[in-house]
Every structure is written in C-alpha cells, then in structure tokens.
Amino acid sequence: KKSFELNFRSEYGPGVLNYQVFPNRDFSVFNKLVLRSGSQDYNGAFFRDILGSELMEPSTTVEVQAYKSIILYINGRYWGIYDIREKVDEYFVATHFNVEKETANVVRADSSVSYGSMSGIYKIINYAGSHDMSLSSNYQYILDRLDINSYIDFWVAETYSTNNDIINTRYINSSVYDNGKYKMVFYDLDFAFYRYARNYYAFMIDPAGMSDLKVSTMLMRNLMKNATFRSTFVQRLKTNMEEIWNQANVSSKIEMLYEKMQPEMPRDHARWDIPTSDWEEEVDKLRNFVAVRTQYLMNQTKSFFNLSDAEFREIFGEFI
C-alpha cells in the first residue's frame, strides 16, 4: 500500500489547488499534497502518525501537518483508507508563517536540504559542538538563532512517544519570520508509541548519534550541558505533560481515531490482505503504551536530571 504525492502543475490547469482541504487551516491554496497510506504503519495501528499530529495540533511552538482521512478510489477501484497531508516543504513554511517561499529553509537532521540552504542550522549545530555550552554567552548564541521552546517541545514529544525514526526531523525557518529562528516540525511517527520502557534521554544524547549519524545528537548533547536549558526542559516537560501528554488526553485521541477508522478497516484490510485481528492487536499495543509510559518517563526524568525527591514531587507530583 503506497503513498502518493499530488503535484498541481500548470500544464494541467491552474498550477495550484484552491480548496479548503483542512478545516483547521486558515489557507486554502496548495501546490502539493500527500496521500499517505499509513506508510510503515499501514499494517500496524495505521494511525500512529496522525495520532501524533492530533495531539500536537494545539501546540503554539511546534508545527504539524494537517490531515484529513479519506477513502481513496483510483480509476474506480477501491484503494482503501488514506490521509491527505500537507507536504513539509517550502510551501509549508510559506503558508504556516505567511511568508514568501523563497525566504524558507527546510533541512533534515542528516543535513540534507529539502529547500533553501543548510548553512544556518549547520552553524547552530557546529557552534554548539565547538563551544562550551555551559557558558551563558555561548548559550545565548543558540537562543538568538533557534526557537528554544519549539526545540524543547519537539523533543518532549519525541521523548514521550519514543519515536525511533528520527532522521526525518525537519528544521524550518524563514529569514523574515521571528528573526529567522529555526523551529521544529513533529511528524513521521510510524515507529513511535512502541517502546514504552525506553530511556529516550540516553537515545537522544548518544554520542554515536541516531542511526549512526553523529550530527543528529550533537546539538542536544551540548545543550544539556547548560543549566538554564536543563531547567527549561524540565519545566516545559511538566507543561507539555499537563496540556498534551497526560494519559487521559492521549487515550482519548486513540479512542477517537479508533472509532473513526474501525467501520472501514475490514474493507481496507480485505483490499490489502491484512487480518483485521492484527489491527485490533496493534491498537491494543497503543493503549498499553499509554497506560504505562508516564511512569517510566517520570522515573527516567528524575534520574537523568538528578532531581531530589522533594524537587521531583514539587514539579511532577501529579504524575507520580
């Protein structure tokens, strides 16, 4: 079951789609869209990726793709459940920040460039790796160029969800928006919400990097040497747990998506020769993840940040 990209080219018509595809977006002109099949999760729970988007949609610091679930037919043939998604590219930056696309930069964690230049984010990462980040003056260099709340909230989301496929991380910015500060996009979550006991802190500061790509952890490894950053991380973890990643909220989103998908799943699975019982088991894995993830995360947080019992109770008491 493959995903598709829709490119609206001028040789076939206006060159854009002018339609309010997503009710929760205040723009209605699209150059490209993605028809997402569930990707690596198509024969799993199917909705891990849109679960993450649904949860982070209220965030004011981290960007997410809008989605709309549909039933797809191609030339009259049933193709199954798909999600229409925004494509994370220069047009995504232009519409989300209300800027011209030519001002955008979209760079992956592996330093490959989707649009624009990698020089800005490379300078940030290289500076962090070559300067003592425990010093306030050096930390200020990062703050002037990176939206630190966006960066932390992104990593809180990755930490809770234990996303294992991190190389598709996108840094985005516009030279004319928020002083050109880089912000984060939370997406591509087909390998998230699996390993509830995983110590993600160890994963995200591993000197070997993620997928053996050392640069992928260089920024976080060095920022964690700064006391202000560590304190801010803990406080934003608390806020995000209260507002987004608490068990009741995550569970309610899972059930909402399950109930929306469940009536159509047997037909989709018949089309792609997948036992529906497997899907039910995968959704149960999500439920089990949520039931225990908070406790593992709290224990790991207390240890990683060296919080005393009193400090831990004061900050995270409601989650103990």
Side-chain angles (χ1 to χ4, degrees):
K1 189 178 180 183
K2 301 295 185 181
S3 296
F4 302 94
E5 181 175 298
L6 304 180
N7 293 284
F8 303 102
R9 298 193 174 103
S10 57
E11 57 260 43
Y12 303 116
V16 297
L17 175 66
N18 195 335
Y19 183 77
Q20 190 71 46
V21 178
F22 307 110
N24 60 345
R25 292 291 181 266
D26 60 3
F27 47 84
S28 57
V29 177
F30 300 91
N31 296 79
K32 298 177 182 180
L33 288 169
V34 174
L35 297 180
R36 204 169 193 276
S37 64
S39 196
Q40 293 101 324
D41 192 34
Y42 86 94
N43 58 350
F46 182 81
F47 57 76
R48 281 182 167 86
D49 190 54
I50 61 173
L51 171 63
S53 297
E54 184 74 36
L55 285 160
M56 284 296 285
E57 178 64 33
S59 173
T60 59
T61 62
V62 177
E63 302 300 318
V64 297
Q65 296 166 290
Y67 79 92
K68 184 174 185 178
S69 298
I70 61 167
I71 298 171
L72 179 65
Y73 288 80
I74 298 179
N75 295 329
R77 186 182 181 190
Y78 178 79
W79 224 255
I81 304 173
Y82 275 73
D83 294 306
I84 307 176
R85 308 301 303 265
E86 296 176 89
K87 183 174 175 61
V88 180
D89 59 7
E90 64 273 22
Y91 297 104
F92 181 92
V93 176
T95 52
H96 280 239
F97 297 162
N98 193 26
V99 298
E100 297 297 323
K101 69 178 179 64
E102 289 78 12
T103 69
N105 293 292
V106 183
V107 184
R108 278 181 26 139
D110 62 1
S111 300
S112 63
V113 179
S114 298
Y115 187 84
S117 169
M118 66 170 287
S119 63
I121 195 64
Y122 177 80
K123 287 178 181 177
I124 293 171
I125 295 172
N126 187 58
Y127 187 93
S130 59
H131 291 74
D132 183 358
M133 282 294 105
S134 68
L135 299 179
S136 297
S137 57
N138 291 339
Y139 181 52
Q140 187 62 48
Y141 178 94
I142 305 298
L143 294 180
D144 290 341
R145 293 160 176 81
L146 177 69
D147 183 334
I148 207 68
N149 288 342
S150 179
Y151 185 74
I152 291 175
D153 291 353
F154 169 83
W155 281 108
V156 167
E158 297 285 351
T159 300
Y160 176 90
S161 63
T162 67
N163 183 22
N164 197 52
D165 186 10
I166 205 67
I167 298 305
N168 214 13
T169 297
R170 291 289 198 278
Y171 298 94
I172 63 172
N173 84 326
S174 164
S175 59
V176 297
Y177 182 80
D178 194 19
N179 297 314
K181 289 185 179 182
Y182 281 85
K183 302 177 187 299
M184 310 301 293
V185 185
F186 185 57
Y187 85 126
D188 194 9
L189 302 166
D190 299 324
F191 290 105
F193 305 103
Y194 274 107
R195 300 173 62 179
Y196 54 78
R198 185 176 202 176
N199 187 341
Y200 207 81
Y201 295 118
F203 180 60
M204 69 185 184
I205 64 167
D206 185 350
M210 300 169 183
S211 300
D212 297 321
L213 189 69
K214 292 182 179 180
V215 70
S216 62
T217 62
M218 184 181 294
L219 183 55
M220 180 60 79
R221 274 185 281 131
N222 286 282
L223 286 175
M224 280 294 181
K225 298 173 183 177
N226 184 274
T228 300
F229 177 82
R230 290 172 67 89
S231 176
T232 304
F233 194 106
V234 169
Q235 291 301 323
R236 294 205 67 80
L237 172 61
K238 175 189 177 183
T239 298
N240 279 271
M241 290 296 294
E242 290 171 342
E243 297 178 355
I244 296 173
W245 300 109
N246 62 81
Q247 183 175 340
N249 188 47
V250 181
S251 293
S252 70
K253 298 299 185 185
I254 290 172
E255 297 310 319
M256 180 271 290
L257 291 170
Y258 171 79
E259 291 171 10
K260 182 166 70 172
M261 300 290 179
Q262 195 276 333
E264 189 64 25
M265 271 300 176
R267 189 160 68 130
D268 178 278
H269 288 157
R271 169 66 178 84
W272 298 103
D273 195 25
I274 302 169
T276 299
S277 59
D278 289 357
W279 178 67
E280 296 282 356
E281 290 175 6
E282 287 293 327
V283 176
D284 281 340
K285 289 179 183 178
L286 282 175
R287 295 180 177 121
N288 293 337
F289 178 97
V290 177
V292 298
R293 177 56 184 154
T294 297
Q295 191 57 58
Y296 279 100
L297 177 56
M298 290 296 97
N299 291 339
Q300 292 157 0
T301 299
K302 183 176 185 293
S303 175
F304 182 79
F305 290 99
N306 296 314
L307 299 174
S308 67
D309 290 343
E311 290 171 328
F312 185 66
R313 282 194 300 271
E314 180 180 356
I315 300 169
F316 296 109
E318 65 185 285
F319 299 108
I320 299 175

